[in-house]
Amino acid sequence: MPDLIDVILLGIVEGVTEFLPISSTGHLLIAQHWLGARSDTFNIVIQAGAILAVTLIYRRRLWQLATGWRDPANRDYLFKLGTAFAITAVLGFIVTRLGFTLPDRVMPIAIALILGGFWILAAERYTAGRPASTTITWKVAILVGLAQIVAAIFPGTSRSAATIFTAMLAGANHRPAATEFAFLVGIPTMYAASGYQILKKLAEGPGQEDWAALGLAFASATITGFIAVKWLLGYIGSHSYRPFAIYRIVFGILLLVAVPGG
C-alpha cells in the first residue's frame, strides 16, 4: 500500500509540473530523493500521461492540422512542428547512444532551477513592450527543437520553459502562440521517448519493470496533467510567467540549503 501511494504521488507531481515551466523531471527526481528512486523508464513513460492530457486538450487543433493539411498555413505549421521534432529525435538518439543518464543528485537540479528562473525573468523583460507576434518562423522551429535536447540533458531546466521562452525570444513573443507550439512539439517527442523506453524494456524482459505501478502513475499523471494544463492556458491569457520564475529561484535556493552537497 505505501508503494502504491508513492507512485500515485509521483504521478501527481509529474502531471502538475510537466507543462508548468518549473521542471517535471527535476521535481520527480527530487520527490524520488525521499519516496525512493525509480527507473528512467518510469520517469519517461509517466511523462506520456501528461502528454496524453495535452493531446486531449488540443484535440481540435490537432484535428484541424491533420484534416486541413491542404491549407498552406496549416501545412507550413505542420512542417515546422515536424522539423522541431526531427531535430530533437536525431539529437536525442545521439545523446542516448552516448550513454547519457539522469543525475541522482539534487544540487545540479537546484542550480538549473535557479538559473532557469532568472532566464525566465530576463525573457519576460526582453519581450515586454514589443509588438505581439504569433508567427512561428523556421528560426523558432529549429531553436525549439534544440531547446528540447538542452532540457533533457540538464534536469531542472524544464522542457516547457526551455521551449516556450526560446520561442518567445526567437520572435513568437505572444505567450499563447509560443505555448501552443511548445506543447504541440512535446506530443510526438514524449510519445516517441516513451515508446522507445517501453520497447527497450520489453526487449530486456518485461519482468524488470513494475508495469502495474507504472500504469497507476501514468493514470494519475494524465488526470492531474489535464487539470494543470487547462488552468495554465487560462492563466497565461492575462498573466506573465514571472511567478513561476520566482518559484523556481526560491525552491532552488531551499533545495541547496536543505540538501547541502546532495
Side-chain angles (χ1 to χ4, degrees):
M1 182 64 71
D3 188 61
L4 291 181
I5 295 174
D6 288 349
V7 297
I8 290 172
L9 288 174
L10 290 172
I12 292 171
V13 170
E14 164 59 30
V16 171
T17 60
E18 175 62 39
F19 289 98
L20 302 185
I22 56 177
S23 176
S24 62
T25 302
H27 279 74
L28 269 179
L29 293 175
I30 290 164
Q32 290 174 19
H33 187 77
W34 286 281
L35 298 177
R38 301 284 167 172
S39 67
D40 283 352
T41 298
F42 182 95
N43 292 334
I44 292 174
V45 172
I46 67 168
Q47 289 178 349
I51 295 294
L52 176 59
V54 168
T55 305
L56 294 173
I57 289 171
Y58 279 105
R59 63 190 182 279
R60 291 189 179 87
R61 176 62 167 147
L62 291 168
W63 180 253
Q64 177 195 41
L65 290 170
T67 59
W69 62 270
R70 291 185 179 86
D71 178 75
N74 284 342
R75 192 163 57 245
D76 179 70
Y77 197 89
L78 281 170
F79 281 145
K80 287 167 181 172
L81 281 175
T83 297
F85 169 68
I87 291 170
T88 301
V90 171
L91 294 180
F93 178 77
I94 293 172
V95 168
T96 301
R97 297 297 293 177
L98 291 175
F100 172 79
T101 57
L102 294 174
D104 57 3
R105 297 175 63 232
V106 171
M107 187 176 71
I109 297 169
I111 292 173
L113 283 167
I114 295 169
L115 294 177
F118 282 112
W119 184 56
I120 291 173
L121 291 175
E124 284 281 4
R125 183 179 179 85
Y126 178 79
T127 57
R130 291 171 175 263
S133 173
T134 61
T135 303
I136 303 298
T137 63
W138 284 106
K139 177 183 177 182
V140 169
I142 292 169
L143 291 178
V144 164
L146 294 172
Q148 290 200 117
I149 290 298
V150 173
I153 294 175
F154 300 104
T157 302
S158 169
R159 193 201 63 81
S160 60
T163 52
I164 290 169
F165 292 100
T166 293
M168 289 178 64
L169 289 169
N173 62 340
H174 182 259
R175 288 189 196 92
T179 301
E180 178 185 89
F181 187 78
F183 285 5
L184 292 181
V185 170
I187 291 175
T189 301
M190 292 313 305
Y191 280 149
S194 298
Y196 174 80
Q197 284 293 330
I198 290 173
L199 291 174
K200 182 180 176 182
K201 280 297 176 183
L202 289 175
E204 295 173 356
Q208 297 181 17
E209 187 69 42
D210 187 344
W211 297 102
L214 185 53
L216 189 60
F218 180 94
S220 61
T222 301
I223 295 169
T224 53
F226 189 92
I227 295 169
V229 173
K230 273 287 191 182
W231 172 82
L232 179 66
L233 294 178
Y235 174 85
I236 62 171
S238 56
H239 298 80
S240 76
Y241 280 105
R242 290 187 185 91
F244 296 103
I246 295 170
Y247 167 81
R248 290 176 64 113
I249 294 168
V250 172
F251 186 38
I253 293 172
L254 289 175
L255 285 173
L256 290 177
V257 173
V259 193

